[in-house]
Amino acid sequence: MYATCTFCQATLGRNETLEHFPVGRRLAFDQARGRLWVVCPSCRLWNLSPLEIRWEAIEEAERLYFDARKRVSTENIGLARVGDGVDLVRVGEPLRPEFAAWRYGERFGSRRRRHLLWTSASVASTLAYWVAGPVLGLTVASAALLPYNLIQASRGFYDSRRVVGKFHDAEGPFTVNYRHLNDAQVVADRESTLGWRLRVTAKRGPHPNGRFGRAVSVFKDKRVEIVGADAEVAMRQFLPVINRVGGKSESVALAVRKLEHARSPHDLFLRTAQEVGRDAYGDPSRALAAMPLELRLALEMAAHEDAERRALEGELAQLEATWKEAEEIAAIADQLTLPAKLITQLERLGRGR
């Protein structure tokens, strides 16, 4: 079994994931045609494996690909990361990318636990003041309200200064603070390349340095529109803050189902632009914070899934182009190793004769 690239002579590396083929860190396989390549990490060319050692390795690679928790696919090719960081490139009919709950369940669950911990601390402090109030000479009412007022005041002070996004448009720079997200909206926009845009209140002026900015009166805040690539970036920054309370496993499961039913993350955002939620008073509202929890969780998943998918699109396109070239070489190489009668029989089987 070879260990160096047949094109540039660079080392192909080794893996401990595929028992029957421990060569390479990126393997490409086509189960339908029975071909297995090792992708060179240096020149990125595909090295066709010897015919007699590839069959068991292909079956093992197919099984690992189906079991992979993180994968992405296009029309003709798929990419998954398995085992000790080995990449598997699956050539053939692609799988529909799965939006598995495991990727986000723990993230949303940890937020919910932090929120419950904060709430429990508030309740505990209120009870402590209720009991200690008479001892400290405080009335029962003041003892009960003091912790709540202190917590709300500290949160308001924190929210007024915490910066969650810095952007720039034709009128100049603007900063979105934590408290601005209460009325952030996704609205339909036919003129936009996305089909939607983000409307949010923001502070106009130079961006403050660091995570916290100078406190500003709400009367100086202005409504802004975020469009295009900035809107996608903004959603990835805003949604974790809007979904800061997280969600239970049931809510996460509903969000995953909603995401799977959508044709694409883009389609989910377009549909959200037409949704109407309910605010804390039960009144109709288009604010993201007023949308149903499972929809908001699905939007956050979609925003990150789309970002990761786009990051892989360029690589997948290059892999697909390389595959087409390698396929021509593989077809010639296989024909040189098989008897002519067997090749004729395989061609007839392929035509269904």
Side-chain angles (χ1 to χ4, degrees), residues 158-342:
Y158 176 81
D159 293 350
S160 68
R161 294 171 176 264
R162 181 182 173 186
V163 175
V164 294
K166 301 176 182 179
F167 303 92
H168 194 285
D169 61 13
E171 297 183 23
F174 60 89
T175 302
V176 179
N177 288 351
Y178 191 97
R179 60 186 171 81
H180 292 145
L181 300 184
N182 291 329
D183 60 355
Q185 300 177 0
V186 174
V187 295
D189 184 1
R190 294 182 180 180
E191 297 181 359
S192 171
T193 55
L194 298 177
W196 59 271
R197 54 192 163 90
L198 190 61
R199 180 181 297 160
V200 66
T201 305
K203 172 189 175 295
R204 282 287 182 187
H207 295 317
N209 295 324
R211 187 178 179 183
F212 299 95
R214 183 167 47 85
V216 199
S217 169
V218 293
F219 296 107
K220 293 183 179 180
D221 296 344
K222 295 183 179 180
R223 202 74 164 162
V224 297
E225 308 282 343
I226 307 178
V227 298
D230 285 344
E232 294 178 317
V233 173
M235 290 300 288
R236 290 195 292 271
Q237 295 176 352
F238 295 171
L239 284 167
V241 179
I242 296 173
N243 296 332
R244 58 188 176 274
V245 177
K248 297 187 292 186
S249 57
E250 295 84 356
S251 300
V252 176
L254 289 173
V256 171
R257 195 173 307 141
K258 185 176 288 292
L259 187 60
E260 288 179 341
H261 289 165
R263 290 176 296 181
S264 66
H266 174 73
D267 180 61
L268 185 61
F269 279 98
L270 285 178
R271 287 163 52 187
T272 304
Q274 308 297 332
E275 288 277 346
V276 177
R278 298 283 174 177
D279 62 16
Y281 302 98
D283 297 326
S285 174
R286 291 191 178 275
L288 279 170
M291 296 297 174
L293 175 61
E294 59 271 16
L295 177 58
R296 288 188 277 115
L297 296 180
L299 286 172
E300 183 175 343
M301 294 180 191
H304 289 282
E305 290 280 353
D306 195 44
E308 294 178 4
R309 205 168 307 285
R310 290 191 179 194
L312 288 168
E313 279 181 354
E315 184 177 13
L316 287 171
Q318 184 178 4
L319 285 173
E320 186 169 350
T322 309
W323 159 64
K324 292 178 179 179
E325 180 181 352
E327 171 60 27
E328 296 177 1
I329 300 175
I332 297 173
D334 285 351
Q335 288 179 6
L336 293 176
T337 59
L338 295 175
K341 291 184 179 180
L342 182 57

